[in-house]
Amino acid sequence: MLAAMPTLPLITSLRGYRPEWLRYDMTSGLAIAAVGLPSAIAYPALAGLPPEVGIYASIMSILGYALLGSSRQLIVGPDAGTVTVLAAVLVSFGLASTAENMMASAAIAAIVGLLCFLASFLRLGFIANLLSRPILTGFMTGISLSILVGQIGRLTGVKIESDGLFAPLFEIVTKAGLIHWPSLVLGVALFVLLRLLGAWRPSIPGPLVVVALAIAMSYAFDFTAMGIRVVGIVPSQLPSPSLPIPHGVSIGDLILGAVAVLIVSFSAGIVTARSFGAKNGYPVDANRELLGFGAANLASGLFGGFAVTASDSRTAINDSMGGKTQLAAVFSAAALALTVLFLTDALAILPTPALGAVLASAAISLIDLRTLKELWRISRIEFFFALISIAGALSLGVLQGVIIAVVATLLYLLMQGMMPRDALLGRIPGRDGFFKLHRHPQAEPVPGVVIYLLQGSLLFFNADYVKNRIEDIFAEMGPTIKGFIFDAGAAAQIDSTAAVMLDEIRALAQERGIKFAIVELHSEPLKILERSGVLARIGPAMIFDEMEDAVDASSGNSSLPATQ
């Protein structure tokens, strides 16, 4: 919680800093900057923002996370998925100029930061689970395909006006005569180089190589004269802190946009944090990470950047280079700051097709076919929900895709709970305990008693389903059945609707002259049944802690008093 903020993680790590760690942190910082610079320049284009916004976001967010973030190795920065959601939010605002969009994106980043602080204070780290693994995989795949198609214009030099997955492909076919072939050849060549470096030499920062090569070629061959578009003027100064107050956008719209960005950015970021935590054997507290992400986004927004999250590529570089503390992040921020001050002339002649190649390669890397194959093999229903997320992001747009992804997750959880598993229990001769009849062929029903096990909570949305299941069992009971036992050991929750349903089952059993007992009630369900009056109608004598006592009482073999 925020009460823990006075002990800053960065200060704590520096107190025990060892001199021999310095070279690791410095080399890691330079490598992080080298890997992060191309994406810092390229990703703003997804939202129609100038490249310096991405550089500002990279510098300030890294410093913010280094101050409050709990992980010594996690690196934050621009992320394709987060920027794509931001782009959809900015489009919904309908602002007229780039300057207005820059101000709005900075405001959204600041609000995301404040929301992260609030969520941490309220212990809302569970929002990371709003997008389950299948849903997040599908959503990121949909975003990746959207980003990939979005590079057609940068690679071909043709202005693409249509949206979606197939419409831009059809449009470029109809405008084939307008394709600027030098741009296309350059972009495709750089894209192929990126993919080859990633496959053959993954330790080499491919995006940096491609950017450096593209700048050198642009300088040598004067790409501007050839008609190849370039980035253009990049301000050679660092931003000053200011409070971003956009005009033409209501605070309500800003907050809603920030919530959409927060859900995707934090869900993706915590996955990265947990992945590296598991790899290196340390726990990750989602509520603590909210503080780090909050500081990163607030710093980015106050210094003219946009929303950020954990970067898997930069974190992987930090991990592989042996960075020891968040000083590695500080060194990377310093390197990026020097780039802004002294290398903007070089960035100005960076050809746009190179940015398209970097973004297209990044988009392909985000498509997790391995996980999709695993989902198909393990759970077809989860694979289906992944497809829903893909379709939502592509057909309805990224912003609506966030809603589709969250709704799909909640729908999946609801479906899982609507039809809880159940079983009838019996005994295996010569063995103690009770066993599921359908899993153990040698198990036999207890003479005169039906034991029904519900494997899940009993709530309003599944009460009718469970009632129908029990009524079907009653319909098949023979005249020798004297008792029905409801095993509630796995029912952690029972609500008022379920209490009414159990009362109806009790009445049904009473009409048939069958004893109705409940065994292993948890404390909260017990209170619900007591307050609703159902417990009194069942009778305390038929509420048990032990199954053997319930069987004896239901079969008429014992008059043991109930235990509560």
Side-chain angles (χ1 to χ4, degrees), residues 60-410:
M60 303 315 301
S61 65
I62 283 177
L63 295 176
Y65 184 86
L67 190 64
L68 292 184
S70 60
S71 173
R72 64 167 179 80
Q73 65 175 173
L74 194 71
I75 306 297
V76 298
D79 168 73
T82 301
V83 177
T84 304
V85 176
L86 172 64
V89 172
L90 294 179
V91 168
S92 70
F93 291 165
L95 299 175
S97 68
T98 300
E100 290 176 327
N101 280 318
M102 290 173 61
M103 187 65 70
S105 66
I108 288 174
I111 294 173
V112 168
L114 295 176
L115 290 176
C116 284
F117 287 141
L118 178 62
S120 179
F121 178 78
L122 297 176
R123 312 295 293 174
L124 299 180
F126 66 86
I127 64 173
N129 301 319
L130 284 178
L131 295 181
S132 64
R133 180 169 176 260
I135 299 298
L136 186 60
T137 299
F139 181 71
M140 294 307 295
T141 299
I143 282 181
S144 301
L145 293 174
S146 177
I147 293 172
L148 193 60
V149 172
Q151 304 319 304
I152 293 176
R154 294 187 180 91
L155 294 173
T156 63
V158 178
K159 183 178 181 181
I160 302 297
E161 298 177 351
S162 52
D163 298 318
L165 179 61
F166 299 107
L169 298 175
F170 178 76
E171 183 177 349
I172 192 62
V173 171
T174 60
K175 295 180 178 179
L178 301 177
I179 293 176
H180 188 257
W181 292 102
S183 296
L184 181 60
V185 171
L186 175 64
V188 171
L190 294 176
F191 172 80
V192 172
L193 177 60
L194 268 173
R195 303 311 297 175
L196 291 177
L197 285 175
W200 295 346
R201 293 289 187 272
S203 60
I204 298 176
L208 181 66
V209 171
V210 164
V211 167
L213 178 61
I215 290 174
M217 293 173 63
S218 180
Y219 179 78
F221 300 107
D222 193 5
F223 281 164
T224 304
M226 296 173 59
I228 299 176
R229 297 174 184 170
V230 296
V231 169
I233 298 174
V234 178
S236 58
Q237 61 183 18
L238 295 175
S240 301
S242 62
L243 188 65
I245 303 177
H247 300 287
V249 184
S250 69
I251 185 64
D253 289 340
L254 285 172
I255 293 176
L256 288 176
V259 169
V261 172
L262 171 62
I263 292 174
V264 174
S265 65
F266 183 59
S267 297
I270 201 65
V271 168
T272 299
R274 286 172 174 168
S275 297
F276 283 93
K279 177 179 181 294
N280 293 285
Y282 60 84
V284 173
D285 184 343
N287 291 301
R288 287 292 303 277
E289 287 303 317
L290 277 167
L291 286 179
F293 291 154
N297 280 284
L298 183 59
S300 178
L302 293 179
F303 285 86
F306 51 54
V308 298
T309 187
S311 169
D312 51 359
S313 60
R314 301 185 204 193
T315 305
I317 287 295
N318 190 28
D319 183 53
S320 64
M321 295 295 291
K324 301 300 182 183
T325 69
Q326 277 290 341
L327 270 185
V330 175
F331 284 126
S332 72
L336 289 174
L338 291 174
T339 300
V340 171
L341 293 175
F342 301 107
L343 295 178
T344 52
D345 288 342
L347 296 179
I349 61 172
L350 174 65
T352 300
L355 297 182
V358 170
L359 290 171
S361 180
I364 289 179
S365 299
L366 287 174
I367 300 175
D368 194 348
L369 293 178
R370 178 180 299 179
T371 298
L372 290 174
K373 289 179 181 178
E374 287 180 358
L375 290 174
W376 174 258
R377 177 171 52 87
I378 297 172
S379 173
R380 298 294 170 85
I381 184 65
E382 291 188 85
F383 178 80
F384 173 71
F385 276 103
L387 293 183
I388 290 178
S389 293
I390 294 174
L394 289 174
S395 61
L396 299 178
V398 175
L399 190 56
Q400 291 84 352
V402 177
I403 300 174
I404 293 295
V406 174
V407 170
T409 298
L410 298 178

Side-chain angles (χ1 to χ4, degrees), residues 468-486:
N468 292 334
R469 294 280 292 173
I470 294 176
E471 287 176 341
D472 290 342
I473 294 171
F474 268 75
E476 296 177 1
M477 285 181 181
T480 60
I481 301 300
K482 299 178 180 180
F484 180 90
I485 299 174
F486 181 82

Side-chain angles (χ1 to χ4, degrees), residues 412-431:
Y412 173 64
L413 292 175
L414 184 61
M415 288 180 61
Q416 289 289 90
M418 285 182 67
M419 295 182 288
R421 294 182 180 276
D422 55 11
L424 296 179
L425 304 182
R427 288 194 176 106
I428 296 178
R431 295 177 61 179

Side-chain angles (χ1 to χ4, degrees), residues 389-545:
S389 293
I390 294 174
L394 289 174
S395 61
L396 299 178
V398 175
L399 190 56
Q400 291 84 352
V402 177
I403 300 174
I404 293 295
V406 174
V407 170
T409 298
L410 298 178
L411 179 61
Y412 173 64
L413 292 175
L414 184 61
M415 288 180 61
Q416 289 289 90
M418 285 182 67
M419 295 182 288
R421 294 182 180 276
D422 55 11
L424 296 179
L425 304 182
R427 288 194 176 106
I428 296 178
R431 295 177 61 179
D432 293 332
F434 296 84
F435 303 85
K436 297 176 182 178
L437 298 178
H438 70 279
R439 290 191 60 184
H440 300 274
Q442 67 272 38
E444 301 173 353
V446 178
V449 177
V450 171
I451 305 174
Y452 176 81
L453 170 66
L454 179 66
Q455 298 174 271
S457 293
L458 186 56
L459 301 168
F460 66 95
F461 53 81
N462 61 21
D464 281 344
Y465 172 81
V466 175
K467 180 183 177 183
N468 292 334
R469 294 280 292 173
I470 294 176
E471 287 176 341
D472 290 342
I473 294 171
F474 268 75
E476 296 177 1
M477 285 181 181
T480 60
I481 301 300
K482 299 178 180 180
F484 180 90
I485 299 174
F486 181 82
D487 186 345
Q493 293 178 302
I494 292 179
D495 65 6
S496 60
T497 303
V500 172
M501 185 276 289
L502 289 175
D503 198 29
E504 291 173 351
I505 296 299
R506 175 204 58 79
L508 178 62
Q510 186 176 15
E511 289 176 4
R512 299 192 174 205
I514 296 173
K515 295 180 179 179
F516 179 70
I518 302 180
V519 66
E520 293 191 25
L521 265 175
H522 294 275
S523 59
E524 288 301 319
L526 182 64
K527 292 177 182 177
I528 292 291
L529 294 183
E530 186 176 21
R531 289 196 292 263
S532 65
V534 176
L535 185 66
R537 286 188 287 276
I538 294 175
M542 298 304 290
I543 306 297
F544 298 90
D545 285 337

